Structures are given as structure tokens and as C-alpha cells.
Amino acid sequence: MDIPPHENTPHWKQRAYRIIFESDTPAGQTFDAVLLVAIVLSVLTVMLESVSQIAAQYGSLLRAVEWAFTGLFLLEYIIRLVVVRRPLAYALSLLGIIDLLAVLPTLASLVMLGSHYLVVIRTLRLLRVFRVFKLGRFVGEGEFILNALKASRFKILVFLTAVLTLVIVIGTFMYVVEGGQNGFTSIPKSIYWAIVTLTTVGYGDISPGTILGQTMASILMILGYAIIAVPTGIVSAQMARPTSDAPTFKQATCHICQAGDHRDDAEFCWNCGEKL
Amino acid sequence: MDIPPHENTPHWKQRAYRIIFESDTPAGQTFDAVLLVAIVLSVLTVMLESVSQIAAQYGSLLRAVEWAFTGLFLLEYIIRLVVVRRPLAYALSLLGIIDLLAVLPTLASLVMLGSHYLVVIRTLRLLRVFRVFKLGRFVGEGEFILNALKASRFKILVFLTAVLTLVIVIGTFMYVVEGGQNGFTSIPKSIYWAIVTLTTVGYGDISPGTILGQTMASILMILGYAIIAVPTGIVSAQMARPTSDAPTFKQATCHICQAGDHRDDAEFCWNCGEKL
Amino acid sequence: MDIPPHENTPHWKQRAYRIIFESDTPAGQTFDAVLLVAIVLSVLTVMLESVSQIAAQYGSLLRAVEWAFTGLFLLEYIIRLVVVRRPLAYALSLLGIIDLLAVLPTLASLVMLGSHYLVVIRTLRLLRVFRVFKLGRFVGEGEFILNALKASRFKILVFLTAVLTLVIVIGTFMYVVEGGQNGFTSIPKSIYWAIVTLTTVGYGDISPGTILGQTMASILMILGYAIIAVPTGIVSAQMARPTSDAPTFKQATCHICQAGDHRDDAEFCWNCGEKL
Amino acid sequence: MDIPPHENTPHWKQRAYRIIFESDTPAGQTFDAVLLVAIVLSVLTVMLESVSQIAAQYGSLLRAVEWAFTGLFLLEYIIRLVVVRRPLAYALSLLGIIDLLAVLPTLASLVMLGSHYLVVIRTLRLLRVFRVFKLGRFVGEGEFILNALKASRFKILVFLTAVLTLVIVIGTFMYVVEGGQNGFTSIPKSIYWAIVTLTTVGYGDISPGTILGQTMASILMILGYAIIAVPTGIVSAQMARPTSDAPTFKQATCHICQAGDHRDDAEFCWNCGEKL
């Protein structure tokens, strides 16, 4: 994703690239650490600003700090564009877009002035929190988890589809059973309740009042309690799968009998005895 | 389940059969996609109709759309009956019954006219959502999950019976302990509470008020938290089990090179090519 | 647990024993089925009696039915005592005690007459629900689950002790942090809240109001969400463990070199080659 | 951690050390049991003191008992310091610090007299509950669980970081979507809600009111329901992994009898006794 600068680029550019884009030099590591702290602090600033008591007292200070961070991140974004060999490729990469999204909301609040729209702009500003995603450069273990999830993505999709079908049907039934009472005011709301119940979250903002409704809710809960075993089983089985000590198999098939599944170290076909 | 038409059936019937019942032709795939969209839209129509604000404004429009979809699905159902070789077998198959149930509720609202009964009919109409089940033609991964669940169905049944016994006993105790107060107004209601608690849903519409009651609730919660390991363990163990499609190995070793781990159906040693 | 009658006992006793205690004859199976239905019906009767609306209308009928069932179960208990070879052994076995407890509460309500104590007696009556436990004669699969739980009972105990320590410490902290407000009125109540939260039940009858409290609650929740993996992992690993196809080991050690862990079918010591 | 006394120490010191620090003598075991009971009773005393109704009646008694226990624990702490060979090492060990923390809060309430500060001191006193941790000397099974958690600590950390990022982003979005209404009064509070929801605790003190909010909440719940599979899978896979104390097997077979599955360290065939 990050493209190394060309061999012919000036030395300072290569150095800046190394510091900003890579972490294999002391300077690069310091830069990353400072960036990480700045991101956390800027996120904290936005968070504190949303607390009305704090905003009333330190509102202008927090906004100033936020603008300072926005300025720094913007500067960083521009430098990244300058030192990278193919700026457009960077700008269109996932990380590049996130870098841009991290400064846009605050900038956007500048252009539009109508107090009426400001609330909406503040909404966009909060997107900055996405910047946190940049922290997500985990390796090894993270990849292990992702690989396990990737390997079982179809199974999980099938499971989620089944769950969705279930909550739609049961939500509709509950709407009928409760007759629009006890918070089951519409089918979408009843489906929302079914999800809240099946996932064992159980807010209690909506809960069945009729005997039939409570019976159905009980069935749904026990179902939810039991079928959580399915995604867990899928991922557990995937992770427990031996990765290397079980004999692995060649992709190639025997050129005589087309038999496949030969051991990786096999020299002869198990089916016809031909040299592989 | 779907029966291919007889060889002697007219060509258009065979063509229609292929398009409607199978998905191995471009036309058949288009048909399936259109059907899928129609099902989702018709379900959405019914859902929106149940939201009182939307029903007040677009009620007649939504009902018209619903009737249009019902007409289409009815037409589709009739065509299916015509083109299939054994209509009765189709009509009595699970998918056939679901196809019929998808149109019946709307039609039923026609025959009965008394406004008093209409509410009940609307109830039946909602069964249409079952049509969604037709989407459930997953293969491979879906079958893997179903097989794992099927293989452990007795274990899960035993587990559910144990859970049911537990919630009946604890629910009764809680009714006695709380003395009919704090929402524990009857044994069935207390059992409902026990299920809500054991499954860790926890609505909070009923929650113990006495010290003894809260102690028992705590025990029930920790129990529920611990025994969720049982269905999860059952399904995980089942899924982690090597399946039959992976090659299994002979116990015997080659009498020439002593190599082991031969495929069960191998006739020659993979190591030296000797006849096993 | 059930003791077969002596060879010299009269024929009718042997027959009655077979019908009542065993299920390998058609008559015995019919008896078991009838008993099962009677138990379910009697439990339902007690449940319905606890619903005040139903009790107001059918109270005397339900009480009559309850007395009829109590009479039947008492009769059954006496017959069991008569036909079994060692009545005392039966009476003191777990099933015998449960059989007795199934009739005692109703009988106890007879002796004591004061209306003031009746409420307490009704409490005891509800213990009859324990009779349901007699249904618990599952085999095979049930044993598999129980064995897995038994094999991991120490691990689960350690886990539960750790969880208990955790909720005591965190509950106490929360009592201090929330300062006795927001429902955290005492340490036991705060511990109750910690259990409700850690097990992800979350009634919401008590929930933190201060920022520090909500932060600690968040940590507790994520902890609860993560450590549920522990009991699940324990049971999954136990169930996934191969039971018989892996070679098992002799308890005995070699009498020459004291080496242990010999294969069950080993005839020679793997360490010194001595005949075992 | 516990340092055995030097060989030249007086006999009574060695004896006291054995009784207090070890549990391999009858006296040592009695000491441990008494200590355990004393710890549980002292914790119960502090708990009961926090219940206002009990404190009103037995407050002075409970405080006296608490002081008695504090005296005993202080005496025990001093004796431990005396009999141990390297008192400083003990005092600075984890167990030594916990021993000290178990008596400090009560003592601290003595020095400071201002009624205004007393509340804060009572807070510190509650730390005594930490003493319970001393019970945590589990072996074997406890170590197995800890090892499994230790081996997967990086995976769990990565998972927790991902979860934290998720709740920050979704919490911020919900604050914007709900517009500060329905309890989503600030970003930190919305993040708190996201944690309550993702972990399936679901208090219901904050729950979304808008349609978009409920849709996002539904997604978050299903996500939380599905990704709980990740920590569970990690720990299950770790625990299911064969540990090193189980004998492993040679791949090679006996050249005389072709028997396989020899222990890795076997020098002779278990079947025919031939040198391998």
C-alpha cells in the first residue's frame, strides 16, 4: 500500500519518507509514537467537547486544541503527499482516505456559516474518530484472527442470514401476538426487539406483556442461548485446526490416472504407482 | 424435492421448468434474482404497512402494492403447478407449502368481510414473511453447519431438557422466595424470569427485590454464564471433528520402505511405489 | 440404585417390580409414559394454581386435581416400597427421597391448620416440582455431557472462585465509587450488581451513574465478555478430546526401570525392553 | 516467593515458619484453615457494616469485630516478618503487600480524625477485601487456565483493541445519530452504551429511540453476538492443543513387528521388545 520513493528522489524526501511511512529507524519510531499520542489526545478533545458541562467551561479552549490538531494532521497529510512517490495512489488508498477524513470534518465547519447547519457539520466532524483506525497495524496474532475469520466467512454469512430470517419471522409473529401493545408498535420495532432478545442483550425498553408473547420470547431466548454455539463453534474449530503437523497434500494430480490428494512428499502416485 | 419434467413433456414446459425450478441457465438465474427482489420488496411493504405513521399516509398505496405482489406470487405458484411433472408432490413438499402460505393470508382477507375479524386476518397475512424462507437455499457451508447441529441434536436436546427442568425448579423457588412480589406474580411468570436470567438476556422488567431472591438470582446467573459452555462445547467439538471428505489413512505401513500414513484407498506406496 | 427383587419373592411382586422399576416390557413402558404425563399434568396444576386469576375461578377444582395426583403418587410410592426387595435402601436413595418429597408438601398442608401458616405450607407444596427431576433418566448423550463436565469440574471450580473473588472486589469498589447512590446501597447489593454485569445479564435495576463508575462497569463488562471464553474453552477442549482411538496407557510401571505411560496393549517396556 | 529460613536460625523460628508459610504439617494446615475462615468472616463483617439497616443496630459490634480481625492480621503480619529469613523480600513481594494492605485501611481510620475525611477513609478500609486474593493459591488446574490465557494474551489484546476501536467509532456515530437524546448525552456516555450493548449486557438505562439508531444498535448487537466467538475460539483452540506433558509418539515403526505409536523417547518396541 505504501509505495517506497524512487531511487532518484532527493535525499531529504527519502529520509522524510522513511520517518513518516516506515518504523524501522529511531526517528520513524519516535514519529509514530508522537502521532499515536496526538491521535488519542485529539479524539479525547472531541469526546470532552461533547460533554455539555465541560463544553460550557472549556469549550473555546477545546475547540482551539482541536484546530491545532487538525492543523497538524493536515500538515502531516500534505507532507505525506509530497514525499510519497505516487501521491494519487496514496490518496486513493484506504489509509490515505482515512488520513483525509481525519481532517475534513473540522475544515468543513469553516466553509459553511449558517448556524442552522452547524449541528449537521458537527456531526461530520465526529468522523475524525475514524482516524483511530490508523492504530490498527497489528501483525501476527491479528492476522491469525483475521485469517480464521476469513476462512469461516461463508459459514458466518450463512449463520447471519439464518439469524436475520429468524428475527424477521419471530418479530412479525410477536407484533401480531402482542397486538401492537407493550412497545411492539410496528414490525420493524418488533424485529429490533427480536434482535435485542436473540443476542441476549435484553434492554427491557420493549418486553412482552401477554402470556403467549412471553412464551414465544422464552423460546427465542433459549434459541439465542443455544445457537450462539454456532459462530463460536465455527471459529473455534477453525482456530483449533492443525496448521502444519498434519500431512499436507500436493495440488497436482497424477498425469496417468488423474488421482489427486497426494501427500506433499509423495514421489509415487498412491493409485497407480506411477512416478509423480 | 423438485422433480424434473418427463422427457415427453412439451418443449415450452421443459423450458419453463428449467427457468423456474433450476438456476443453471441465464434465464433461470434472472428469474431467481427477480423473485428474490420481489420477495424482499413484498416483505418490506408488509413491514412498512405495520408502522402506523406510514400506514396513515401511504396505506392504500402499500395495500395495492401488496396485492400486486400477491397476484404475482399466485401466478408464479400456478405456473409452478402446471410445469412440474408431479404437481401434487410439489404442492405437498415443504417449499410448495411455503409458496402457498406466501399468498394465502392476503387472499383470506378477501373472503371474510366483517371488520371485527379483519384484525385476525391481518394476523394471518403476516405469515407471508415465511416466504423469506425460500431464500434459504444455501449449500456447502450451510450444510456443514446443519450437519454439525444434526450430529449433536441429541446432546442439545438433553441440554435443553436439563435447562428447562432447571428454570422450572428455580422459577418456582423464586415465586415462593419473593412471595408474589416484585413481578413474580405467578409460577409461569417466575419461570419466564428464570429463562430471561439464565440466558443472560436480563430485561429487568422483573428483578428480585429480597436478599434471598437476589442471592438465588446470582447463583442462576453464574450457572447460566458457566453452562453456556455446554452447547458451545458440543458444537465446537462436532465442528472440529475431521469430516469424512478429508482423506483418511491406512494403519498399515509399506512392507518395503515402512512408510505410513497411506490414504485408505491407496493401492501403492506413495514413497517407493510398491504395491501395498 | 434400583434393587431387583429376590428370586424367591412371589410372582406378582416380581411382575409389579418389572412394570414399575424397569422399562423393558410393554406394560413397564406404558406405566412410565402414564407416570410422565401425570407428573407433567400435576406440575401444570400447581403452576396454574399460582396464577391469581385462574385460582379465583378454578381454585377448588385445581386443588382437587392436585389432591388426586398427590394420592396417586402416594399410592405409587407405597407400592414401590412394597415390591422392592430392600425398601429402606430405596427409601434412602436419591430417587426414593425425590419420590417422597413429591407427595410430602401437599400432605403437610393437611396437618397444620392455622391460616397464618398456610402461606408457608403452600411454599413447601411447591417443592413437588422437584418430582420433574425423575424425568432425568437420560443415557448416552447425557452421560457424555456429564462426563465432560465432571472431567473439567476442578477447572470450572477454579474459574468460579476467580469470578467470585473478582465480583467481591469490584462490587466493593463500585460501592465506594458510587458512594451508596444509584442503587449501590450496600456491598452485598454492589456484588449482586457485579454478578449481573459480569455474566452479561444486565437487568438495569442498578446501573452506575458516575463517570468513574461507568468506566469501571465498562471494564467489568469487557472482562465478562472475554472471560466467558474460559469455561467455554474448558468444556470445548474436554469434549473435543479423542476418547478411544488414541492409544491409552497402563497405570502400572515397569518393574525393572519404573518407566510409566506404557500403551495399554504393550507387552514390553518401551524403556528397557523387559517383558511387562 | 516465600524464602525458607536459614539452617542456623533458632528452632522455634523454623517451626513457626513451617506452620505459617507452608502447609505440609498438620499444624500448618490448621493454621491455613483458621486463616481462611478468619478472612472470610472479616470480609463478611465489612460487607454487613455497609448495609445501613444492620449498621444501625449492630454497628459498634461489627466495628469491634473488624478491629479484632485487624489486630489478628497485624499480629500475623509482624510474625511473618520476624520468622522469614529475608523480611524485606517478603514485605516487597506481592503477597507481602497484600498482607499489609489487608490491615492498613482500618489502621488509617485511626490517625485521621476529621469526620469530613472519614468517608474517604472508610473507602480505603474497603480495600481489605483484597485480602481475599490470598485464597488464590490454586495449583494445577488454575495454572492450566492461566497458561492458556497467557499463551493467548497477545491474541486477546489484539481482540480487545479491535473491540475498543469499534465501540469508540460506533459510540460516536450513535451520539450523532441520536442527537444527544435518549441518554446519548455525550460521546463518552455513548461509548459506555456501545460497550453495554456489544458485550450483550444491555442495562436499558440508555437505549436508542430513533429508527436509524435502532438499526445501528441492531448491527452492533449482531456483531457482538458473532465476535464473542473470537475470544472463545482463541482460548478453546489453546486449551484443546496437546500439552507437552502428554507423551508424544515416534513416526517410525518397529522394524521387526511393524508396530507404530512408540513414545518419542522409547528405545525398545512395546510390542516385541526389540531395540528400536
Side-chain angles (χ1 to χ4, degrees):
Chain A
M1 195 163 280
D2 298 339
I3 308 99
H6 199 266
E7 310 257 308
N8 304 16
T9 45
H11 180 67
W12 68 267
K13 254 196 182 180
Q14 284 195 24
R15 230 197 97 106
Y17 178 85
R18 265 214 122 165
I19 291 171
I20 295 175
F21 278 93
E22 311 213 347
S23 341
D24 53 354
T25 55
Q29 279 161 13
T30 311
F31 178 83
D32 278 3
V34 169
L35 189 62
L36 199 139
V37 171
I39 290 167
V40 169
L41 285 180
S42 71
V43 168
L44 277 178
T45 308
V46 177
M47 277 190 195
L48 290 176
E49 220 179 320
S50 77
V51 183
S52 51
Q53 298 99 303
I54 295 171
Q57 257 193 299
Y58 307 102
S60 45
L61 173 70
L62 288 169
R63 231 159 306 150
V65 173
E66 198 202 324
W67 271 104
F69 278 121
T70 306
L72 280 172
F73 291 149
L74 184 59
L75 192 70
E76 183 217 336
Y77 181 67
I78 292 166
I79 294 175
R80 275 178 194 271
L81 279 175
V82 169
V83 302
V84 91
R85 197 155 57 106
R86 293 191 297 177
L88 197 69
Y90 160 69
L92 294 177
S93 73
L94 183 63
L95 288 180
I97 291 166
I98 290 172
D99 286 348
L100 186 62
L101 280 176
V103 291
L104 271 194
T106 316
L107 296 181
S109 73
L110 251 190
V111 185
M112 306 205 215
L113 286 161
S115 64
H116 182 255
Y117 299 111
L118 266 172
V119 184
V120 184
I121 293 156
R122 200 174 297 159
T123 308
L124 287 167
R125 253 165 84 192
L126 293 158
L127 280 164
R128 158 125 38 113
V129 178
F130 265 131
R131 175 152 208 128
V132 171
F133 267 141
K134 281 200 55 177
L135 304 180
R137 287 180 197 165
F138 305 113
V139 268
E141 305 291 10
E143 256 167 36
F144 174 80
I145 293 174
L146 281 179
N147 283 342
L149 286 177
K150 225 186 205 159
S152 42
R153 69 184 177 288
F154 286 115
K155 288 201 196 71
I156 288 174
L157 248 167
V158 166
F159 174 72
L160 285 184
T161 312
V163 163
L164 226 73
T165 309
L166 191 69
V167 294
I168 288 174
V169 172
I170 292 194
T172 306
F173 260 113
M174 285 302 283
Y175 170 64
V176 173
V177 164
E178 294 282 319
Q181 302 298 308
N182 303 312
F184 295 85
T185 50
S186 67
I187 297 185
K189 205 146 215 167
S190 299
I191 292 172
Y192 165 70
W193 167 87
I195 293 173
V196 168
T197 300
L198 187 84
T199 58
T200 77
V201 170
Y203 285 135
D205 52 348
I206 309 169
S207 69
T210 64
I211 290 170
L212 185 53
Q214 292 181 340
T215 309
M216 286 196 58
S218 300
I219 295 169
L220 184 62
M221 283 171 222
I222 290 178
L223 223 70
Y225 187 64
I227 65 177
I228 198 166
V230 174
T232 305
I234 292 168
V235 177
S236 295
Q238 191 58 46
M239 287 185 172
R241 198 154 294 175
T243 41
S244 60
D245 48 316
T248 52
F249 298 97
K250 295 194 182 187
Q251 293 281 33
T253 54
C254 174
H255 64 105
I256 297 292
C257 68
Q258 313 300 339
D261 276 332
H262 296 286
R263 285 175 53 115
D264 238 2
D265 48 349
E267 287 179 48
F268 297 93
C269 176
W270 55 264
N271 192 40
C272 64
E274 181 69 19
K275 181 108 183 143
L276 287 176
Chain B
M1 196 163 281
D2 298 339
I3 308 97
H6 199 266
E7 310 258 307
N8 304 16
T9 46
H11 180 67
W12 69 267
K13 255 195 179 179
Q14 285 195 23
R15 230 196 97 105
Y17 178 86
R18 265 212 121 166
I19 292 170
I20 295 176
F21 278 93
E22 312 210 349
S23 340
D24 54 353
T25 55
Q29 279 162 12
T30 311
F31 178 83
D32 278 2
V34 169
L35 190 61
L36 200 140
V37 171
I39 290 168
V40 168
L41 286 180
S42 71
V43 168
L44 278 179
T45 307
V46 177
M47 278 189 193
L48 290 176
E49 221 180 319
S50 77
V51 183
S52 50
Q53 298 100 303
I54 295 172
Q57 259 194 299
Y58 306 102
S60 45
L61 173 69
L62 287 170
R63 231 159 306 149
V65 172
E66 197 203 326
W67 270 104
F69 277 121
T70 306
L72 279 172
F73 291 149
L74 184 59
L75 192 70
E76 182 218 337
Y77 181 66
I78 291 166
I79 294 175
R80 275 178 194 271
L81 280 175
V82 169
V83 301
V84 91
R85 197 155 56 106
R86 292 191 297 176
L88 198 69
Y90 160 69
L92 295 176
S93 73
L94 183 64
L95 287 180
I97 291 166
I98 291 172
D99 286 349
L100 186 61
L101 280 176
V103 291
L104 270 195
T106 316
L107 296 181
S109 73
L110 251 190
V111 185
M112 306 205 215
L113 287 163
S115 63
H116 181 255
Y117 299 112
L118 265 173
V119 184
V120 183
I121 292 156
R122 201 174 296 157
T123 308
L124 286 167
R125 252 166 84 193
L126 294 158
L127 279 164
R128 159 127 34 115
V129 178
F130 266 131
R131 171 146 213 135
V132 171
F133 268 141
K134 281 200 56 177
L135 303 179
R137 288 181 197 164
F138 305 112
V139 269
E141 304 291 11
E143 257 168 34
F144 174 78
I145 294 175
L146 281 179
N147 283 341
L149 287 176
K150 224 187 206 158
S152 42
R153 70 185 177 288
F154 286 116
K155 288 200 197 70
I156 288 173
L157 249 166
V158 166
F159 174 71
L160 286 184
T161 312
V163 163
L164 226 73
T165 309
L166 191 70
V167 293
I168 288 174
V169 172
I170 291 193
T172 306
F173 260 112
M174 284 302 283
Y175 169 65
V176 173
V177 164
E178 293 282 319
Q181 302 298 308
N182 303 312
F184 294 85
T185 49
S186 67
I187 297 184
K189 206 146 214 166
S190 299
I191 292 172
Y192 165 70
W193 167 86
I195 293 173
V196 168
T197 300
L198 186 84
T199 58
T200 77
V201 170
Y203 285 136
D205 52 348
I206 308 170
S207 69
T210 63
I211 291 170
L212 184 54
Q214 292 181 340
T215 309
M216 286 196 59
S218 301
I219 295 168
L220 185 62
M221 283 172 222
I222 289 179
L223 223 70
Y225 187 64
I227 65 176
I228 199 167
V230 174
T232 305
I234 292 169
V235 177
S236 294
Q238 191 59 47
M239 286 185 173
R241 201 155 292 175
T243 48
S244 56
D245 50 312
T248 52
F249 298 97
K250 293 195 186 188
Q251 293 283 31
T253 54
C254 174
H255 64 106
I256 296 295
C257 68
Q258 318 298 347
D261 275 334
H262 297 286
R263 284 176 54 114
D264 237 2
D265 48 348
E267 286 179 49
F268 296 94
C269 176
W270 55 264
N271 193 39
C272 65
E274 181 69 18
K275 180 108 181 146
L276 287 176
Chain C
M1 196 163 282
D2 299 338
I3 308 97
H6 199 266
E7 310 258 306
N8 305 18
T9 45
H11 180 66
W12 68 267
K13 255 194 179 178
Q14 285 196 22
R15 230 195 97 107
Y17 179 85
R18 265 213 120 164
I19 291 171
I20 296 175
F21 278 92
E22 313 212 347
S23 340
D24 54 353
T25 54
Q29 279 163 11
T30 311
F31 178 83
D32 277 4
V34 169
L35 190 62
L36 200 139
V37 171
I39 290 167
V40 169
L41 286 180
S42 71
V43 168
L44 278 178
T45 307
V46 177
M47 278 189 193
L48 291 176
E49 221 179 319
S50 76
V51 183
S52 50
Q53 299 99 304
I54 294 173
Q57 258 193 300
Y58 306 102
S60 45
L61 174 68
L62 287 170
R63 231 159 306 150
V65 172
E66 197 202 326
W67 270 103
F69 277 121
T70 306
L72 279 172
F73 291 149
L74 184 60
L75 192 69
E76 182 217 338
Y77 182 66
I78 292 166
I79 294 176
R80 275 178 194 270
L81 280 175
V82 169
V83 303
V84 90
R85 198 154 56 107
R86 291 192 297 177
L88 199 69
Y90 161 69
L92 294 176
S93 72
L94 183 63
L95 288 179
I97 290 165
I98 290 171
D99 286 349
L100 186 62
L101 280 176
V103 290
L104 271 193
T106 316
L107 296 181
S109 73
L110 250 189
V111 185
M112 307 206 214
L113 287 161
S115 64
H116 181 255
Y117 299 110
L118 266 174
V119 183
V120 184
I121 293 156
R122 200 174 296 158
T123 308
L124 287 167
R125 253 165 84 193
L126 293 158
L127 279 165
R128 159 125 36 114
V129 178
F130 266 131
R131 172 148 211 133
V132 171
F133 267 141
K134 281 200 54 178
L135 303 180
R137 289 182 196 163
F138 304 112
V139 270
E141 304 292 8
E143 257 168 35
F144 174 79
I145 294 174
L146 281 178
N147 283 342
L149 287 177
K150 224 185 204 159
S152 41
R153 69 184 177 287
F154 286 115
K155 288 200 197 71
I156 288 174
L157 249 167
V158 166
F159 174 72
L160 286 185
T161 311
V163 163
L164 225 73
T165 308
L166 191 70
V167 294
I168 287 173
V169 172
I170 292 194
T172 306
F173 260 113
M174 285 302 284
Y175 169 65
V176 173
V177 164
E178 293 282 319
Q181 302 298 308
N182 302 312
F184 295 84
T185 49
S186 67
I187 298 184
K189 205 146 214 167
S190 300
I191 293 172
Y192 165 71
W193 167 86
I195 294 173
V196 169
T197 299
L198 186 84
T199 57
T200 77
V201 170
Y203 284 136
D205 52 349
I206 309 169
S207 69
T210 64
I211 290 169
L212 184 55
Q214 291 181 340
T215 309
M216 286 196 58
S218 300
I219 295 168
L220 184 61
M221 282 172 225
I222 289 178
L223 223 70
Y225 188 63
I227 65 176
I228 198 167
V230 174
T232 305
I234 292 168
V235 176
S236 294
Q238 191 58 46
M239 286 185 173
R241 198 154 294 174
T243 42
S244 59
D245 48 316
T248 52
F249 298 97
K250 294 196 184 187
Q251 293 281 32
T253 54
C254 174
H255 64 106
I256 296 292
C257 68
Q258 312 301 339
D261 276 333
H262 297 286
R263 284 175 54 117
D264 236 2
D265 48 349
E267 286 179 50
F268 297 94
C269 177
W270 55 265
N271 193 40
C272 63
E274 180 70 17
K275 180 108 183 144
L276 287 176
Chain D
M1 195 163 282
D2 299 339
I3 307 96
H6 199 265
E7 309 258 307
N8 305 17
T9 45
H11 180 68
W12 68 267
K13 255 194 179 178
Q14 285 196 23
R15 230 195 98 105
Y17 178 85
R18 265 214 123 163
I19 291 171
I20 295 174
F21 279 92
E22 312 211 348
S23 343
D24 53 353
T25 55
Q29 279 163 12
T30 310
F31 178 83
D32 278 4
V34 169
L35 191 61
L36 199 140
V37 171
I39 290 167
V40 169
L41 286 180
S42 71
V43 168
L44 278 178
T45 307
V46 177
M47 278 189 192
L48 290 177
E49 220 179 320
S50 77
V51 183
S52 50
Q53 297 99 304
I54 294 173
Q57 259 194 297
Y58 307 101
S60 45
L61 174 69
L62 288 170
R63 231 159 305 151
V65 172
E66 197 202 326
W67 270 104
F69 277 121
T70 306
L72 280 172
F73 291 149
L74 184 60
L75 191 70
E76 182 218 335
Y77 181 66
I78 293 166
I79 294 176
R80 274 177 194 271
L81 280 175
V82 169
V83 302
V84 90
R85 198 155 57 107
R86 291 191 298 175
L88 198 69
Y90 160 69
L92 294 177
S93 73
L94 182 64
L95 287 180
I97 290 164
I98 290 172
D99 286 349
L100 186 62
L101 281 177
V103 290
L104 271 194
T106 315
L107 296 180
S109 73
L110 250 191
V111 185
M112 306 205 214
L113 285 162
S115 63
H116 181 254
Y117 299 111
L118 266 173
V119 183
V120 183
I121 292 157
R122 201 173 296 159
T123 308
L124 287 166
R125 254 165 83 193
L126 293 158
L127 280 164
R128 157 124 38 112
V129 178
F130 265 131
R131 175 152 207 128
V132 171
F133 267 141
K134 280 200 57 177
L135 303 179
R137 287 180 196 166
F138 304 114
V139 269
E141 305 292 8
E143 257 168 34
F144 174 79
I145 293 174
L146 281 178
N147 284 342
L149 286 177
K150 224 183 202 161
S152 43
R153 69 184 177 287
F154 286 114
K155 288 200 196 72
I156 288 174
L157 249 166
V158 166
F159 174 72
L160 285 184
T161 312
V163 163
L164 226 72
T165 309
L166 190 70
V167 293
I168 288 173
V169 172
I170 291 194
T172 306
F173 260 113
M174 284 303 284
Y175 169 65
V176 173
V177 164
E178 293 283 319
Q181 303 298 309
N182 303 312
F184 295 85
T185 49
S186 66
I187 297 185
K189 206 146 215 167
S190 299
I191 292 172
Y192 166 70
W193 167 87
I195 293 173
V196 169
T197 299
L198 187 84
T199 58
T200 76
V201 171
Y203 285 136
D205 51 349
I206 309 169
S207 68
T210 64
I211 290 171
L212 185 53
Q214 291 180 340
T215 309
M216 287 195 59
S218 300
I219 294 168
L220 184 62
M221 282 173 225
I222 290 178
L223 224 71
Y225 188 65
I227 65 176
I228 198 167
V230 174
T232 305
I234 292 167
V235 176
S236 294
Q238 192 58 47
M239 286 186 174
R241 200 156 292 176
T243 48
S244 56
D245 50 314
T248 51
F249 298 98
K250 294 195 183 186
Q251 294 282 32
T253 54
C254 173
H255 63 105
I256 296 292
C257 68
Q258 317 297 345
D261 275 333
H262 297 286
R263 285 175 53 114
D264 238 3
D265 48 348
E267 286 180 46
F268 296 94
C269 176
W270 55 265
N271 192 40
C272 65
E274 181 69 18
K275 181 109 181 142
L276 287 176

